[in-house]
């Protein structure tokens, strides 16, 4: 998979809210000695809608090699990052939150992706709940999402994006209490949108992208966008292992150019 999320180094961005996602009121707690104490961020499947059960079961059983041939280096090298794969319930049924990168960015301009990016030191341990905090924090910074309305229910195996040296943890979330979302920083994000799962499973919206390098991968033509690369690869595997995939024409190809 190619880097469909275009991770950059992240500091505080325009419009970023203070505090830390994951605590009931969005604020960091202090221990009795005055040191920062990270608020707990937990995974829970309690109260999930029944249609998400197959996704939760897949997260518990899927193996890294079933998701991608690009796996994190055994040495532990790589830049730790996370993405939020957020499922909600819209007017057209189950849906997925995506964003489109600004057309002025140096890399992956205009490309749809999950909210996400690099772990910051304040996110905590990258081997435990650090990726959970990072996924919520990045989603809040990029889309204005209120993390208090998100229930994290699963984590997929870490994957690797060789071109950018990112080790990515896909974090699964249920949009238990939807809140308004939109572009926070136009310099980074062109739009924020949701895609009905029924559109993602529609065979007419599926295709195979072909990069000039010869690499091929799954793609989705939805919401006036071509979703490809890392993002499309993860969506493709979720649909497959959740049992939602419908037969589609894999010979239908969409060429990419060298700027992709």
């Amino acid at each position: 998979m190619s880097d469909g999320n275009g991770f950059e180094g992240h500091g505080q961005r325009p419009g970023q809210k203070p505090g830390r996602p994951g605590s009931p009121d969005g604020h960091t707690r202090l221990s009795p000695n005055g040191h920062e104490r990270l608020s707990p961020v937990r995974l829970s499947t309690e109260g999930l809608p029944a249609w998400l059960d197959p996704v939760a079961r897949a997260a518990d059983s899927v193996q890294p090699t079933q998701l991608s041939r690009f796996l994190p280096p055994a040495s532990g090298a790589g830049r730790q990052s996370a993405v939020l794969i957020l499922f909600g319930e819209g007017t057209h049924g189950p849906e997925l939150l995506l964003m489109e990168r600004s057309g002025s960015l140096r890399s992956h301009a205009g490309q749809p992706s999950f909210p996400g990016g690099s772990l910051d030191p304040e996110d905590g341990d990258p081997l435990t709940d650090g990726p959970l905090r990072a996924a919520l924090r990045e989603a809040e910074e990029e889309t204005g999402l209120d993390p208090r309305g998100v229930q994290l229910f699963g984590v997929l195996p870490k994957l690797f994006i060789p071109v950018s040296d990112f080790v990515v943890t896909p974090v699964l979330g249920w949009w238990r209490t939807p809140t308004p979302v939109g572009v926070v920083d136009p310099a980074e994000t062109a739009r924020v949108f949701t895609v009905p799962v029924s559109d993602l499973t529609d065979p007419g919206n599926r295709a195979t992208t072909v990069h000039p390098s010869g690499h091929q991968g799954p793609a989705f033509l939805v919401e006036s966008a071509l979703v490809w690369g890392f993002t499309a690869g993860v969506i493709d595997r979720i649909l497959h292992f959740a049992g939602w995939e419908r037969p589609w024409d894999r010979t239908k190809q969409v060429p990419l150019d060298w700027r992709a």
Side-chain angles (χ1 to χ4, degrees):
M1 300 178 190
S2 59
D3 179 1
N5 274 71
F7 297 102
E8 308 282 354
H10 294 294
Q12 185 164 342
R13 298 182 185 151
Q16 179 181 341
K17 300 177 183 178
R20 184 181 307 283
S23 60
D25 58 5
H27 293 288
T28 298
R29 307 299 187 194
L30 296 180
S31 62
N33 63 9
H35 293 158
E36 181 178 313
R37 183 174 65 196
L38 297 179
S39 301
V41 183
R42 302 183 181 91
L43 298 177
S44 172
T45 58
E46 182 178 356
L48 286 182
W51 59 266
L52 266 178
D53 288 345
V55 181
R57 288 195 297 268
D60 285 338
S61 60
V62 70
Q63 299 299 307
T65 54
Q66 293 176 307
L67 295 178
S68 175
R69 63 188 177 91
F70 298 116
L71 303 180
S75 64
R79 303 163 65 188
Q80 295 294 324
S81 59
V83 296
L84 179 63
I85 304 174
L86 184 60
F87 292 93
E89 188 82 47
T91 56
H92 299 287
E95 62 185 14
L96 195 61
L97 178 70
L98 295 176
M99 51 178 277
E100 186 173 302
R101 289 168 55 74
S102 171
S104 62
L105 292 175
R106 291 171 300 177
S107 62
H108 307 286
Q111 191 170 342
S113 68
F114 301 119
S118 301
L119 268 68
D120 286 347
E122 61 267 27
D123 292 323
D125 189 350
L127 299 180
T128 56
D129 56 0
L132 306 185
R133 286 194 187 85
L136 289 173
R137 174 181 55 76
E138 286 287 342
E140 182 178 17
E141 293 176 9
E142 292 178 329
T143 74
L145 172 78
D146 186 343
R148 293 172 295 184
V150 175
Q151 177 180 337
L152 302 182
F153 68 88
V155 175
L156 297 178
K158 293 179 183 288
L159 303 176
F160 187 54
I161 303 178
V163 67
S164 56
D165 197 39
F166 275 105
V167 175
V168 187
T169 300
V171 179
L172 301 169
W174 158 238
W175 210 349
R176 178 172 38 81
T177 306
T179 52
V181 292
V183 174
V184 174
D185 183 358
E188 291 195 6
T189 306
R191 64 172 173 147
V192 176
F193 60 101
T194 57
V195 179
V197 172
S198 59
D199 286 356
L200 294 168
T201 60
D202 185 343
N205 294 334
R206 304 213 54 181
T208 298
T209 53
V210 182
H211 193 273
S213 66
H215 175 78
Q216 298 187 13
F220 301 84
L221 296 101
V222 290
E223 300 297 321
S224 303
L226 174 65
V227 182
W228 64 281
F230 175 86
T231 303
V234 173
I235 294 174
D236 172 78
R237 294 294 81 197
I238 290 175
L239 298 182
H240 175 77
F241 286 106
W244 296 345
E245 185 179 34
R246 297 164 58 188
W248 56 283
D249 183 6
R250 297 173 186 272
T251 66
K252 177 182 176 182
Q253 297 186 340
V254 176
L256 301 171
D257 61 31
W258 279 110
R259 294 172 295 177

